[in-house]
Structures are given as C-alpha cells and as structure tokens.
Amino acid sequence: MAEVAILKGTPYSLPSEASGSLDELRSRLHIVRTDLQKALESARRMGLVREMDRAHGYSSVFESNSIEFEGPDLAGTVEVIESDTGQRVLRDLNINLLPEVLQKDRRAFAAIGLETARVLALRYIGGDVRGLCQSDVRSLHGVLMAGEWFAGRYRQFDAAISGSDHAPYPTYEIPFAMAELCDWSQGPVEGDLAVLRAAVGHAWFTHVHPFQDGNGRVGRLIANVLLGQDGLPPAIVKARSQRSRYIAALAHSDEGGDIMPLVGLFLKTIERYVSELQRPKAFKRLFDQLVARRGSSYFDWYRNSLSDFMSRLSSELELFGLRLTLLDELSQEVFADLRGGQRQTVMTALITDGDGQDLVLYQRPPSTAARNRFSADERVPTVAFALPNEQWKLEPYRRTKRADLDGLADFWVQPDQPTSVFIDGRAVRSHSVADGASLLAEQIRRGFARRFELPPRYFDSARWLPKIHGGPG
C-alpha cells in the first residue's frame, strides 16, 4: 500500500493487509466526530459540560493509576483531589507542595500528582500547537513524580519492564530517541487518522521507556494530548475491564510492530466516551453513585455467581489438559453499560492447551436469546468466545463461528435460586452450574482437538497475557 504519511519517521509501517483496517478507522472516526459535536451541544444546553469534564477527568486519573496498581479507589481519588491540599496544588500548579503529600500519603500523592500533570497536559492542547517537545514531556514527568529524585530526568540506569520480554533503550540512546519522537509529533497529520497518531506516539514512548518510573502514566497523557490536539476526547483505558487487552496491544506493537490492536483499543475508548456524552444525566448519576461507594446487590450477586461458575469450568477443563486463566474483571459501571446494550467487551478469561492454541472468553451485551427470556432488570452480560485474528486488524481476536466449538455460540450465568447456566448451542438450554461447566468443557475440548480455524500467527501474543503482573511503567 502507499506509505501512510503519518508513519514517516516512526519505527512503524503498515503493509497492504492493513488497508481495510485504515478504511474502517476513517469511517468510524468520521462518525465519532459527528456524534461528538452533537453530544457536546446537547450537554451544553443541559449545563452539564463542566460536570462531565470533571467526572471524566477524575475517572482518567483513577483508571491510569489503577493500571499501575497505584493510587486510591475512585471515591478516594475524588476526595484527595478536592481536598484543600489538592486544590492548593492545582490552583497554581504548585508542585512544591507535592513532596509533603508524598511523605504523608503515597496513594494521595499518586492521585494529586497525576491530576496536576493532567491539568498541565491540557495546556498543550489548543491553538496551532502540534505535538510535544522534550521539555514538555519532562515537565509532565516532573509534576507526576514531584518529590522523587528522578522527577523530570531521563533514566540513568538500564531497566527492565515487569512481565515483558522487551528490553528498553539503553540510557545513552534515550535523548536521541526522544528527539526523534518529539520531532515527529510536531509534524502535520491527517485528521482522519488521528487515533493512529496517538497510538503511535504512545507505543513509541513506552517502547523507549525513558524514565525510571511513571512511563505508562506519562505515555497515556501523551496519547491524550495528541488526541486533544486533533479535536478528540481522551482515551481512558479501564483498569479492571481493559487492562489485559491494553497490555497485550502494547506487546503486539513491541514484539511484532503491529500497531493496529492499540489503535482499535483507543478507538473503542473514544467511542465509549462519546456514548457517555450522549447520555450525560445517566453517566453523571452513575459516576456519583460510584464515588459514594453505593453497591449494587444484583451486580455483586452476578459477579459471585460468575466467579463460582468459572472456578467450576476451570476444574472441568483441567481434566482435558486445558488451562483457564482469568483476565479482566467487570466493574459496576461496565456491568450497567453492558446490561443496557452499550457496545463494549471485557476479556474475561484465556484458555490454553500448552500447544500454542488459545481461546478467549469475553463478556458482551446480552444476546437476543437472553433479552427474549429476561426483563431488563434481570439481564446479565453474555459470555462469547474469540480466536486470534489475522495480523493488522483493529481487533486482535475474532468471534468464533459455531463450527469452531461444535455448535456452541455463547452462554450466560443467570443469578437465581439456584444459579442457572444458559448455553446457546444448537438450541438455548438451561443447566445447573455443574452440568453447564461439564458440557461447556466438553465442547471446548472438541474445538481444541480440531485446532479450530486459526490464521497463521507471526508471534504468540496471547501467550503473553497470563504473564501480566506489572504495566508499561
């Protein structure tokens, strides 16, 4: 395919096989921009723009910290940012107060420091400003890590990334690599490929890994600056429900040079953001409930029922030499979105056979069969199956066909007395937890025995998922 101008001067390139994904990106991004303007106008009429910005900003801080297992919960994040100390820091970006916070409460420091860095990053958006320079990046890090001896300074020691085989740049190459990245970021771009630009900037930065700590959080700020400069909302990756997919997408870009899974993930987060803007009152109400730590008995009931079933399914699969590894979890917010039919997915588990085959279980909105059987207040997410996709696709996995799993399409765990498991095979039938786990394990075993219909893979990306412990930095 013709060279994509936005990739000139970067470590990334796209072959002809990626042309379909680029066309899809352009089409979906056009819809996003149109819907974004309409949603903003509607939110302005209701006087909710400021409240929505506040809620999304706090969510961004909480999720980014949580990916690195840092900071307090969402309610704690809001509390410390809105505290007297937090507001004193933010009012004038007075980072001289942050070392004092660090000494007293490291979790509060993580929230206030990242929010301060996020506010600083917003100053790099607007007007004719393009990209970032090295001093901008170091300033973001200096604010995020204020009080640490390495704040705002490039790494002085060679480093390793927990859970990854990628070896970051040696220290002497960091200034040159960062100069190349920043020079590239300041160049002209195609507006219909803005998400590709943000994904490249983020992946490239995390690949260089220029700082001692905080690379992931700074990298996500960089991506959101690039998106904001192109008139798009931030990409907020959810720690509980999207972390595995995010880390795996970075592994794709590091190990195989394939940037498209990260592009696809960022695009999904932006589409979700616009969807939330289109229903501002509902989103604001849910955000306030989460901050207030209000639980949901039905959510807890479903989560416990699904956990019990997955444990039973894991035991049944072990009898066939198959291993089930749990991945991302549902949050109350995503649970509510899925029940309402919002288009998003959560990678729930990975099944492997020790012979290079992988099968992903993911939660999605209730299927037609589930909607026909239960009322809105009883519906729960459906669990579907996916196999590794071809290279250069926005989605790293494709949904299975019925032939892949002996007629099996999906299933869902319905909280009840007792809990029931509904399996959509050649017909939809209800089973007990024990019988449902046994039946599913047998059908999954047959799929592995036939080796599904897997595409050729250039590296074993899914095998990376069970090793996820750390993050990008």
Side-chain angles (χ1 to χ4, degrees):
M1 64 186 298
E3 183 179 4
V4 179
I6 200 172
L7 297 180
K8 187 176 182 180
T10 77
Y12 306 95
S13 61
L14 293 175
S16 57
E17 293 88 340
S19 58
S21 294
L22 289 179
D23 290 341
E24 180 184 351
L25 172 62
R26 292 185 175 99
S27 175
R28 288 168 64 180
L29 198 52
H30 175 73
I31 295 172
V32 162
R33 290 188 187 278
T34 302
D35 290 347
L36 177 62
Q37 293 305 313
K38 292 180 180 178
L40 284 172
E41 291 172 6
S42 176
R44 287 191 189 100
R45 286 196 298 270
M46 288 185 277
L48 287 173
V49 171
R50 187 172 181 178
E51 285 295 301
M52 294 289 285
D53 284 345
R54 168 183 168 273
H56 280 122
Y58 291 164
S59 294
S60 175
V61 170
F62 163 68
E63 300 291 357
S64 190
N65 271 332
S66 296
I67 288 174
E68 313 298 341
F69 308 112
E70 296 279 357
D73 62 12
L74 180 58
T77 297
V78 174
E79 181 180 346
V80 299
I81 291 175
E82 293 189 343
S83 67
D84 289 342
T85 300
Q87 292 304 300
R88 283 167 59 202
V89 172
L90 290 165
R91 193 173 299 115
D92 302 308
L93 294 185
N94 185 1
I95 65 172
N96 293 324
L97 296 173
L98 286 174
E100 177 183 339
V101 179
L102 174 62
Q103 291 177 356
K104 293 181 178 179
D105 187 343
R106 184 173 183 85
R107 295 175 71 81
F109 166 80
I112 297 174
L114 183 52
E115 172 63 4
T116 308
R118 188 186 72 85
V119 171
L120 175 61
L122 292 175
R123 297 186 177 184
Y124 303 151
I125 299 172
D128 296 325
V129 178
R130 300 301 304 172
L132 292 158
C133 62
Q134 291 192 70
S135 62
D136 296 331
V137 177
R138 289 197 299 269
S139 293
L140 290 175
H141 188 263
V143 171
L144 176 70
M145 290 294 172
E148 300 282 9
W149 66 267
F150 51 78
R153 301 166 64 183
Y154 287 148
R155 178 165 42 84
Q156 299 178 12
F157 307 98
D158 290 342
I161 302 176
S162 174
S164 173
D165 295 329
H166 166 59
Y169 278 42
T171 56
Y172 67 87
E173 291 186 9
I174 291 175
F176 303 103
M178 288 301 298
E180 288 183 333
L181 191 161
C182 290
D183 288 347
W184 163 81
S185 75
Q186 295 167 22
V189 300
E190 301 173 60
D192 59 355
L193 293 179
V195 181
L196 175 61
R197 175 175 178 250
V200 167
H202 179 59
W204 191 355
F205 174 84
T206 57
H207 187 79
V208 175
H209 208 76
F211 298 113
Q212 192 74 20
D213 190 16
N215 292 282
R217 283 164 285 179
V218 172
R220 290 185 284 278
L221 288 173
I222 289 173
N224 289 337
V225 167
L226 297 179
L227 289 169
Q229 290 176 348
D230 286 321
L232 291 173
I236 303 175
V237 177
K238 301 226 174 256
R240 290 185 68 176
S241 59
Q242 293 181 310
R243 186 176 188 274
S244 293
R245 182 173 298 187
Y246 168 62
I247 301 296
L250 286 176
H252 272 269
S253 65
D254 271 341
E255 298 173 19
D258 185 356
I259 196 67
M260 296 311 290
L262 187 61
V263 175
L265 176 60
F266 280 3
L267 181 59
K268 277 182 176 294
T269 67
I270 294 168
E271 289 172 334
R272 183 188 67 229
Y273 188 107
V274 173
S275 174
E276 291 167 351
L277 278 181
Q278 290 174 323
R279 45 193 178 93
K281 290 184 178 179
F283 172 77
K284 183 62 173 56
R285 182 169 59 251
L286 178 59
F287 179 83
D288 289 342
Q289 289 174 350
L290 292 172
V291 169
R293 294 188 175 95
R294 295 176 190 160
S296 167
S297 59
Y298 195 68
F299 166 65
D300 292 335
W301 191 9
Y302 169 73
R303 183 173 56 181
N304 292 335
S305 298
L306 181 64
S307 177
D308 290 344
F309 176 75
M310 297 300 284
S311 178
R312 180 64 69 95
L313 178 60
S314 178
S315 298
E316 294 287 344
L317 290 169
E318 285 181 3
L319 298 176
F320 299 125
L322 301 174
R323 179 185 179 189
L324 184 147
T325 302
L326 295 177
L327 298 176
D328 293 327
E329 300 180 46
L330 272 184
S331 64
Q332 182 182 337
E333 175 192 1
V334 175
F335 177 69
D337 283 346
L338 289 177
R339 293 180 75 199
Q342 295 296 315
R343 278 189 59 189
Q344 55 180 305
T345 59
V346 177
M347 292 176 65
T348 301
L350 174 72
I351 300 175
T352 57
D353 68 349
D355 192 30
Q357 294 189 97
D358 315 302
L359 180 70
V360 169
L361 278 64
Y362 67 96
Q363 296 184 69
R364 60 183 299 274
S367 63
T368 300
R371 293 197 302 272
N372 290 339
R373 280 169 171 75
F374 294 94
S375 62
D377 61 343
E378 295 176 312
R379 290 172 190 159
V380 297
T382 294
V383 182
F385 304 90
L387 292 166
N389 208 348
E390 299 172 355
Q391 193 179 357
W392 312 112
K393 297 293 185 182
L394 293 174
E395 296 291 342
Y397 296 93
R398 65 162 179 87
R399 185 170 181 179
T400 55
K401 306 169 186 174
R402 285 186 179 267
D404 291 321
L405 290 169
D406 197 35
L408 176 63
D410 50 46
F411 70 93
W412 72 91
V413 177
Q414 191 71 42
D416 207 337
Q417 296 291 349
T419 296
S420 299
V421 180
F422 286 80
I423 298 177
D424 186 352
R426 292 181 174 86
V428 178
R429 301 188 186 281
S430 174
H431 306 270
S432 67
V433 168
D435 290 345
S438 177
L439 178 60
L440 276 175
E442 171 60 26
Q443 291 184 276
I444 290 170
R445 179 199 66 79
R446 292 174 188 169
F448 274 92
R450 287 199 309 271
R451 301 193 66 82
F452 309 110
E453 298 176 12
L454 298 179
R457 282 182 285 161
Y458 57 102
F459 68 93
D460 203 5
S461 61
R463 186 68 58 239
W464 207 80
L465 292 178
K467 299 191 294 183
I468 296 173
H469 298 293

